[in-house]
Amino acid sequence: MCSDTPLYAHRLVTTVAGRTFLSFLLLYLLLIQLCRHAFYRDPTSAFFDPARAYQHVYSMQRQRQADDFINAADSSVRKPPLRRPQTTMCLGIATVERPDDQYVRPAFGSLMEGLTDEERKHIHTVVLVGHTDPQQHPIYHETWLENTADKVLTYDASNTTQFDLLVKWEKDKDYRRKAIYDYTYLLETCIQSGAAWITMVEDDTIAVRGWYSRAMTALDVADSKSTDWLYLRLFFTEKFFGWNAEFWPTYLLSSVLVIIAVAVLLLALRRLRSHTLISNWLILTACFVYTPAFILLYFMAGKLSMRPLPPGVHEMPNYGCCAQGMVFSSPVAARVVDKLRQKEVGFVDMILEAWANEEKLTRFAVVPSLLQHIGGHSSKGDDFTPAQPMSVAETIFNFGFELYEQRGEHIIHPAING
């Protein structure tokens, strides 16, 4: 055995097959290190690193800007009502008290900060304080809310039947019923504003600077692509966009075709050149060792890294998640109200997705996302465990959003695998 080892090592460095194997091994190890460096923020990648990927980079910058806006609004005198030529968009936010941070402050501030005066004139803002006793929410009497929101919405206590139900749902923590009611109540209020577009945003989000102009451009694109679409999604999480199992036959066929192509190429080269350099053994190892290893690394790198979503407006019928930000046309919003009232209980996004699948309604999303989810504590309760140090709420995250870089008034967005 001892005498065989030097001979084996000698063949590795002197034969074509041996040198090819060593070259492959070194290249493969180098590529693995490059993947660890380049694809750590891709949740579909085997090299995904949560500790680095979930860092709030751009959203922290936006949060500071939003805080400055709220602080300025908190210390200013209320401005007279805006004279609107026509309300283009109604922006609705439902908010409830959170255990620690009141995310609604930076959420609302980021939506308002950076708007031009002309843009602000076209937006009607409605904030629903989602408590039967609105005094329970810390922001209810804060000056910034009175100074900046066009309408602060509370429940109608004169409707005793519905109000008693709301009290019961609060007491029983029946979030699945109350959330549906809040969504429909807010949607109806926005419909009554006469706005052409209705944007529903959750209170634990941060908006990119310039979100309104981007959204309006995206709505024009969506209208040009389809006449029967349900919503334009302003937020989605990429973690469900991996190599989904239902497409494994396609992935397998593609892999086999690559291996066949390599075999054909090597055989053709051997016929054109000296066959002594391209032996049968080299062809076999290339087809059944090297190529499968590179294919494996391709899939390990992650779908979003290998096939990134290009910027623009895309159909997103599957895997989008969640309801952090959606835009509806006013006629569609009325249909959404009817659909949610029929269901009465559930989760808004799941009800909408089921409805869209049944009626084959088109769904669009803006890429990159115009909103980021910043909530670390769910209004429906937290789910920390020793095995899961991050709550589910914290993992609802758009990784591409954090790659925005602000330069003056321009937003630069590098690829997600940058």
Side-chain angles (χ1 to χ4, degrees), residues 250-301:
T250 302
Y251 304 146
L252 178 60
L253 177 61
S254 300
S255 301
V256 170
L257 290 176
V258 170
I259 293 172
I260 291 173
V262 170
V264 170
L265 177 63
L266 290 175
L267 288 170
L269 287 174
R270 187 165 72 171
R271 292 192 64 178
L272 293 172
R273 299 174 181 273
S274 173
H275 66 84
T276 57
L277 293 177
I278 304 177
S279 64
N280 289 336
W281 178 252
L282 180 59
I283 293 174
L284 286 172
T285 53
C287 291
F288 297 105
V289 178
Y290 306 148
T291 303
F294 284 121
I295 291 173
L296 176 62
L297 189 60
Y298 175 86
F299 285 104
M300 289 174 64

Side-chain angles (χ1 to χ4, degrees), residues 96 130 155 166 169-170 174-182:
V96 294
Y155 300 126
L166 287 165
W169 293 340
E170 281 186 340
D174 193 348
Y175 303 114
R176 297 178 69 200
R177 292 183 188 276
K178 186 174 178 298
I180 295 294
Y181 177 83
D182 287 353

Side-chain angles (χ1 to χ4, degrees), residues 85-230:
Q86 183 179 359
T87 300
T88 303
M89 177 182 288
C90 179
L91 175 62
I93 303 177
T95 180
V96 294
E97 181 193 19
R98 304 283 180 151
D100 298 314
D101 297 328
Q102 303 310 314
Y103 302 121
V104 67
R105 295 187 186 111
F108 190 87
S110 69
L111 289 162
M112 296 295 102
E113 195 279 331
L115 291 176
T116 66
D117 291 340
E118 189 63 27
E119 287 174 336
R120 182 64 185 89
K121 288 178 183 178
H122 286 271
I123 304 173
H124 179 73
T125 57
V126 182
V127 178
L128 168 62
V129 180
H131 295 277
T132 51
D133 176 12
Q135 310 282 348
Q136 184 179 337
H137 202 306
I139 71 163
Y140 184 59
H141 287 300
E142 290 182 354
T143 306
W144 69 265
L145 183 62
E146 181 182 352
N147 285 350
T148 56
D150 295 309
K151 184 178 183 63
V152 178
L153 191 62
T154 57
Y155 300 126
D156 182 6
S158 65
N159 184 349
T160 55
T161 303
Q162 183 60 61
F163 194 80
D164 289 345
L165 274 176
L166 287 165
V167 172
K168 182 179 185 300
W169 293 340
E170 281 186 340
K171 182 179 178 181
D172 297 343
K173 300 186 185 304
D174 193 348
Y175 303 114
R176 297 178 69 200
R177 292 183 188 276
K178 186 174 178 298
I180 295 294
Y181 177 83
D182 287 353
Y183 208 86
T184 56
Y185 184 34
L186 196 50
L187 266 178
E188 279 190 312
T189 303
C190 271
I191 292 170
Q192 292 166 8
S193 73
W197 302 104
I198 296 172
T199 300
M200 300 290 285
V201 175
E202 292 198 353
D203 69 340
D204 54 356
T205 56
I206 285 286
V208 65
R209 201 164 203 237
W211 71 272
Y212 176 74
S213 60
R214 292 166 182 267
M216 293 306 298
T217 300
L219 289 168
D220 288 339
V221 174
D223 265 344
S224 69
K225 289 186 173 185
S226 173
T227 57
D228 189 22
W229 54 275
L230 179 57

